[in-house]
Amino acid sequence: MGATFSLGRILGIPVSVSYTWFVVLGLVSYVLFGQLSMQLPRWDMLPLVGMAAATGLLFFVSVLAHELAHSLTATRHGIPVRGITLFMLGGVSHIAMEARRPWIEFTVALVGPALSLVLGGLLMGFAFYVAPAFLEGRLRDGVMVVAFLLGWTNLALGVFNLLPGFPLDGGRVLRAGLWGLTGNYWLATSIAVLVAQVFAVALTLLSIFLFIRTGNFLNLWPILIAGFVFYMAVSAKSAARDRRQLTGVTVGEVASADMVPADATIADAVRARLTRGGRAAVLVGVESVPAGVLHEQELRGVPRGVWGITSPMQAMVPLSSFPVVDAGEPAIEALEVLEDDDGPPCLVVVAGGRIVGIVTRSDLDDYLRGRRTLDMAH
């Protein structure tokens, strides 16, 4: 989504805006200016430009409200939310983990479109009934047109998000329904992804057809959405496959107990451990007792020229800096923690109060690659 800047927290949820969002704000404002010019032909250009820009901003406020509905419902059900980002294609809620029950996913997915449809209905009612009854003249005309356009776009947003294009809300509603009916999360995800891919291809073909027929480049805009849906559907299927292969697997089964002695050098550690299998981290031990973690992130700050004379102790991160997880905990939970962009790069694994290893995302990836290799071999 590119670089972003923060808007702070709204109702406790971090909100950021991608710089690509300004492109769409300009495009939406341009389209709205055309609509306002037709509806208010006697208005001067400058007021129309200001009204179009304000209407565009209000539309994205409603997109933000849509995403806040998702995020607040998720947190209410105990699902962590990293934040919300407004970007070129609208908005996205960064929900840290999948719902544990189909009805929770159904509720979280449905509440956003439901809010958009309610907002659209209220704004339409305001445009057709409230504004004519209480306002007069140019103010009445302006408010009616703005309320109508915002109402229509919110209705369109709600209906579009209910289309079965996973990971759009409608696709998640579909998956939740299939999950509830079959009791099989993997099967439900596979069907929802297939439907999403068919939807993306159909949307692309429809956009090309309309462009050829009308010559209007705006008809090509849905191709971006179709590409986003197709890519995200494939990514969601891959993530679901990982979850499936980690079902029943404990953290202890994927953790690494590899350790380098504190009196070695960083070069020794890299040659002996970190380059083997693409590992991201290794324990550092003092007389075989774990004391810290040598992580590739920390090595970036150490000049390569001194690796041969620098002890791992000088570059390691203390164990107390990482979260601790019991070896018997499900590996899926570790995956969800390590997938967080702002989360820890490593987890310390303990059994009976004793440190038995560490687990990184690369450890989980290695385990999953091994499982996929075995599956292909059979």
Side-chain angles (χ1 to χ4, degrees):
M1 295 180 192
T4 63
F5 64 92
S6 174
L7 292 182
R9 289 178 174 268
I10 299 178
L11 298 177
I13 306 294
V15 178
S16 60
V17 178
S18 168
Y19 289 103
T20 62
W21 171 80
F22 289 100
V23 175
V24 181
L25 177 61
L27 179 61
V28 169
S29 298
Y30 172 76
V31 173
L32 289 170
F33 174 78
Q35 293 294 322
L36 290 168
S37 298
M38 288 189 294
Q39 298 295 326
L40 302 170
R42 297 181 181 180
W43 284 48
D44 295 332
M45 182 175 179
L46 188 59
L48 288 175
V49 169
M51 188 180 296
T55 305
L57 283 172
L58 287 173
F59 169 67
F60 278 101
V61 168
S62 62
V63 172
L64 178 58
H66 176 111
E67 296 303 330
L68 279 171
H70 287 307
S71 296
L72 293 173
T73 304
T75 56
R76 182 182 177 186
H77 288 288
I79 303 174
V81 177
R82 301 168 193 162
I84 295 171
T85 302
L86 296 178
F87 69 115
M88 181 178 286
L89 298 179
V92 61
S93 297
H94 303 286
I95 296 175
M97 65 175 64
E98 296 282 0
R100 300 301 189 197
R101 298 287 185 272
W103 68 268
I104 294 178
E105 175 164 45
F106 182 88
T107 303
V108 173
L110 189 60
V111 68
L115 178 64
S116 295
L117 292 174
V118 169
L119 280 176
L122 290 174
L123 286 165
M124 285 293 195
F126 187 86
F128 286 110
Y129 299 106
V130 178
F134 294 95
L135 301 176
E136 295 180 353
R138 291 167 62 89
L139 178 62
R140 179 196 61 193
D141 295 340
V143 170
M144 285 179 62
V145 172
V146 169
F148 172 80
L149 290 174
L150 285 174
W152 185 89
T153 51
N154 270 279
L155 290 174
L157 178 66
V159 171
F160 178 78
N161 273 275
L162 285 174
L163 294 174
F166 191 81
L168 293 177
D169 300 331
R172 293 190 175 276
V173 169
L174 174 63
R175 180 174 73 170
L178 293 169
W179 184 10
L181 288 173
T182 65
N184 189 322
Y185 175 86
W186 170 250
L187 177 62
T189 300
S190 298
I191 295 174
V193 166
L194 178 61
V195 172
Q197 291 172 327
V198 172
F199 167 75
V201 171
L203 184 60
T204 299
L205 294 176
L206 177 62
S207 298
I208 294 173
F209 171 77
L210 291 175
F211 169 69
I212 293 173
R213 184 160 186 170
T214 65
N216 188 343
F217 281 95
L218 288 178
N219 286 323
L220 294 177
W221 174 249
I223 293 178
L224 287 178
I225 298 174
F228 173 77
V229 169
F230 195 96
Y231 170 77
M232 291 302 294
V234 173
S235 298
K237 186 174 182 178
S238 177
R241 181 183 59 203
D242 290 348
R243 286 172 59 87
R244 185 189 188 193
Q245 292 179 330
L246 288 176
T247 300
V249 179
T250 65
V251 172
E253 293 178 69
V254 298
S256 169
D258 282 357
M259 187 182 302
V260 296
D263 57 1
T265 65
I266 289 177
D268 294 333
V270 170
R271 282 194 298 270
R273 295 290 186 269
L274 291 180
T275 57
R276 187 170 67 189
R279 288 192 48 72
V282 65
L283 283 168
V284 178
V286 178
E287 297 181 355
S288 299
V289 177
V293 174
L294 183 64
H295 199 282
E296 62 179 12
Q297 289 185 358
E298 301 302 321
L299 286 180
R300 293 171 189 155
V302 181
R304 190 177 291 268
V306 301
W307 282 10
I309 58 174
T310 304
S311 164
M313 291 281 287
Q314 295 174 260
M316 75 177 189
V317 179
L319 292 173
S320 58
S321 299
F322 302 101
V324 175
V325 61
D326 190 89
E329 290 293 316
I332 290 177
E333 294 186 7
L335 176 66
E336 290 172 343
V337 172
L338 294 170
E339 278 184 331
D340 190 340
D341 294 336
D342 299 321
C346 177
L347 300 176
V348 176
V349 182
V350 299
R354 183 175 62 88
I355 297 173
V356 296
I358 55 174
V359 62
T360 65
R361 180 59 203 259
S362 66
D363 293 318
L364 291 165
D365 289 341
D366 287 344
Y367 178 86
L368 291 168
R369 276 194 295 269
R371 286 289 298 269
R372 285 194 284 271
T373 300
L374 287 174
D375 289 344
M376 286 188 291
H378 290 82

